[in-house]
Each structure stands twice: as structure tokens, then as C-alpha cells.
Amino acid sequence: MAEEYKEALLEKHTYHDGCPGCKVEQMKQLRRGYPYLELTFVWIIVLSTSLPISSLYPFLYYMIEDFGVAKTEKDIGFYAGFVGCSFMLGRALTSVFWGIVADRYGRKPIILLGTISIAIFNALFGLSVNFWMAIGTRFLLGSFNCLLGTMKAYASEIFRDEYQATAMSAVSTAWGIGLIIGPALGGFLAQPADKYPNVFSQESIFGRFRYALPCFTISAFALVVTVLCCFIPETLHNHKLGSTSHDDSYEILEAASHESSASIEKAGKNERKASQSLLKNWPLMSSIIVYCVLCLHDTAYSEIFALWANSPRKYGGLSYSTNDVGTVLAISGLGLFSFQVFVYPFAEKLLGPVLVTRYAGALMIPIQMSYPFIASLSGLSLSLMLNCASILINVLSVSAITGLLILQNRAVDQSQRGAANGIAMTAMSLFKTVGPAGAGILFSWSERRLDAAFLPGSHMVFFVLNVIVVVGVALTFKPFLVTGRR
């Protein structure tokens, strides 16, 4: 009976963290070295989903101008915000659904769906001929953007316990790099017929669709990632038994020898955990709320930075071209990559995720206060100070978010990770829906109050960003933020 029990248990439809019968668990045991292969897969998949999110920011100002919907220069930021937030609205409406599907049918099908949708809808966005087409394609791109929540669950499952900080760092680093490299690609590749007339003619598709090249490039990368994803292992510990019911399995367990009793207890414990409501899991929900606040800041900062850099100096901006913005963001991406790979795992091990989040948030405040003063510089001093500030803000922002990702995945069992990350994605997307729209409106308003006595022009914009950070840091203290251990 013990042997029959073992066979039934291996095929029972349930979840087991560390189940020895799973191919993924066997792979973990065989691959005892540093998980370079796993890191590579996580990196390229997360990178593919983050590239299209902010790749439009460097050229969105000019895209809205080409659409002709803005009556004046000061109205461009207003319309730009709605294009940015349409993606987040779509993702907010579908994230929980994709998380539940990932828990039921596996991580791999959702990953493949996500990469394919990026290839299709991002390319269509590059072919937009009017304001409403741009909003519609971005909304569809967001609705099928099911990768980030799924990848957070996937990364926590494919890495061994000692590399969990590395797993979450890989997710957030690839995400942060994508949010920086994406705009860099958008900056360098937008309007190619104007910038590179020897390569692209005005009569070519990239001459007629001035913003298609960066979108097509990202879509091509997503297609390559789709092919590679066909070879990744499934991490969901989901074992089906054709005709054995729960009651039959229970009878087998009762008839099993004492050798089986420990496994019976573990299976029952897992089922009780799965039945608990995630919304009552305060360690999870408190970390999600702080995560949402900091993601709101991250999105608002990304849009404001591009709009501020592109806007004329008479309005307090830098009069940067899309190439100039792309250069700054590319340098920031290299700095972020170096920090997250070589420094963050040690910082997390030394301080823990909560203190890393708290210190990173606090350090962002004085740096953001310096941006309006940086705008008064010129030449080498402007370039040096701007790049240093941009690197620091991106490093600190991603570090703060990484700590919260670790807390979220520690707060739930494997059977709930997909749904838990779906809830986090929905809540975060709702906040990020407000971010671009609010940032665009705030930026447009700030350009109308250049002579105000209190926080004139861009001073007000960066002040509001700091208020968001202060709220996020305040929420990392007890009794609000509670950390849970599985």
C-alpha cells in the first residue's frame, strides 16, 4: 500500500513546494552551481515585457504633435498622459485573470501568450495614424501583458532557496533595465528618415510611419523570445491523476503505512493554505500597497523626465532631442545593471528587503529636489550632473521595488503565487494608470505657472514626486507593513 500511495501522491492534482517528483526540483538538485541559465531566461522574458511599456516616452511628445490633437505646445503633455495610461488600464483589468489562469494551467502558456501579444500589438502601435488608434493598441497591449506577475511567480519557483534574492533582483533589474533601454531605443530609432536619411528614405514605411522602427525592433525581439520560451521548463507543481478523486486519494492515504503520514499532513496543510483568502493575508496586502505607491512614483517619474527633457528651456526644460534623452537613459541602464547584479544581492543580505526599500526611498528625495536646478546648467556640467542623478534615481527606485517583490513572494504559498502576483499587478496597474495621466496633466499645469511664488514651474512637478516617495517610505514602518514567513 505504501508504494501505491507514493504513486498516487506523485500524480495527485495538488501543489508541493520542493516536490521531489517534479522535473524542476530534480533540475535544482542537479544544477548546484550559480543559476546562470535560469537568470538568462528570466532576464530576456522580463526584458521583452518591459521594453514596450516606456519605449514611447522619448517620442510621445512629438507623436502627439504629429497627430494634431493638441492646440498648443502646453497641451501636449495632457494628451500624452492618456496614451501612457491606456496600457496600464488594460493591464489592470486583466492581471488577476491571467494570474488565476497561470495557477491553473501553468506558467509557460501564459508566458508564451504574453510574448506573442507584444510582437503583435506593439507593432500595431508603431503604425498608429491617429490619437485613438494609439490609445486602442496600447490598451490591447496592456490587456494581454500577462508576463510580469507570472514571471515573479516563475522566478521564485525555478531558483533554489539560497538564490531567492537573486531571483527577485533579476526580475526587477530586467524590468528596470527594460524601462530604461526601451526609451533609449525609442529615442534613437524614432523618426529614422529625418535622422538617418542615407539609410531610410521619406517614401519608405519608416518615413511614412515615423515611430514604427523602435516598435518593430521591440516586436522582433519579442518574437525571438517566444521561440526561446518553447524550451523553458514548466514550474507549476501540478500532477494529474486521470480518474482518482479526492476521496479515493484520501482512502489511499489512510491505508498507507506510517511512512506516508508525514506527507499526508503536508498535503492537508497545503490545501488549507490554498483555501485562505489572499485579501486577508496582511503581509501580502501591506507589501502590495507599498509596492503600488512606489510604482506610481516610478511611472510618473519616467513620463515626467522625458517630457521635462524634451520641453523647451523657456518652460524650464532641457530642449533635448530624442537622441539626447536616449543617451541619458542608456547610461542609466548600464549603471542600474551593474548595481543590481553586483551590489544589490549583498545589500539585501546585509540589510534585508525592508531596510533596502526604506533607505532607497529616503535617498531619492534630495536627488529629485535637484532636478530643477540641474536645468539651469549647460554643457559638460549639465551632462555630468544629469547622468549622475538619473543613474541614482533609477538604481534607488528599482532597489526599493525589488525588496517589496521579495516580501510578496515570501508571504504566499506556491499554489497562490500566480493569483497573488495577479492581484499585485492589478493594483499596481491601477496606480500606474493614474501615473502617466496625472503626470501629463501636472506637467502641463506646471508650464503655465512659471512665475508662481510657491514652487514655480518644474519645482512643483518634482515636489509632487517627492511627496509620493515620502508616503511610500512612511508605509514601510510598523504597524502598517508586516513581513510574513512561509
Side-chain angles (χ1 to χ4, degrees), residues 187-402:
F188 287 121
L189 300 181
Q191 305 165 332
D194 299 331
K195 296 177 183 176
Y196 318 110
N198 294 331
V199 180
F200 303 97
S201 69
Q202 293 291 345
E203 290 75 29
S204 67
I205 185 173
F206 299 118
R208 289 182 288 120
F209 298 96
R210 288 150 50 88
Y211 310 103
L213 183 58
C215 297
F216 282 17
T217 302
I218 292 170
S219 292
F221 177 69
L223 282 176
V224 173
V225 173
T226 301
V227 174
L228 294 176
C229 285
C230 294
F231 302 99
I232 65 174
E234 174 60 70
T235 60
L236 186 64
H237 297 185
N238 190 0
H239 308 293
K240 295 180 181 178
L241 180 62
S243 59
T244 303
S245 66
H246 177 79
D247 292 335
D248 292 337
S249 298
Y250 186 76
E251 288 175 5
I252 293 174
L253 299 183
E254 288 224 312
S257 63
H258 292 293
E259 179 184 355
S260 309
S261 61
S263 297
I264 299 172
E265 184 179 349
K266 182 178 178 182
K269 184 179 179 182
N270 285 338
E271 289 177 3
R272 288 194 298 273
K273 284 183 179 180
S275 67
Q276 294 174 354
S277 172
L278 289 173
L279 298 179
K280 295 180 181 179
N281 184 338
W282 186 244
L284 171 66
M285 298 309 297
S286 61
S287 63
I288 287 177
I289 292 171
V290 183
Y291 172 68
C292 289
V293 172
L294 294 179
C295 284
L296 170 64
H297 164 268
D298 186 56
T299 304
Y301 169 82
S302 296
E303 174 141 343
I304 283 173
F305 179 83
L307 292 173
W308 172 69
N310 288 146
S311 65
R313 279 192 172 268
K314 63 182 179 180
Y315 295 129
L318 302 179
S319 295
Y320 268 23
S321 67
T322 57
N323 276 9
D324 295 328
V325 176
T327 301
V328 173
L329 294 173
I331 294 171
S332 298
L334 291 174
L336 176 61
F337 174 82
S338 301
F339 179 87
Q340 289 292 114
V341 171
F342 300 110
V343 179
Y344 180 83
F346 298 101
E348 193 276 335
K349 187 175 182 180
L350 178 65
L351 300 173
V354 176
L355 287 180
V356 168
T357 298
R358 193 175 297 163
Y359 292 157
L363 289 172
M364 280 193 281
I365 296 171
I367 299 171
Q368 288 185 153
M369 289 175 59
S370 69
Y371 273 92
F373 301 102
I374 291 175
S376 64
L377 303 175
S378 61
L380 180 61
S381 58
L382 169 62
S383 179
L384 181 63
M385 293 300 295
L386 182 64
N387 280 288
C388 288
S390 179
I391 290 171
L392 289 173
I393 287 293
N394 283 287
V395 162
L396 294 171
S397 179
V398 172
S399 296
I401 290 172
T402 302

Side-chain angles (χ1 to χ4, degrees), residues 75-94:
D75 295 325
I76 290 176
F78 175 82
Y79 289 98
F82 289 105
V83 176
C85 77
S86 60
F87 175 93
M88 298 300 171
L89 178 61
R91 192 168 68 177
L93 296 175
T94 59

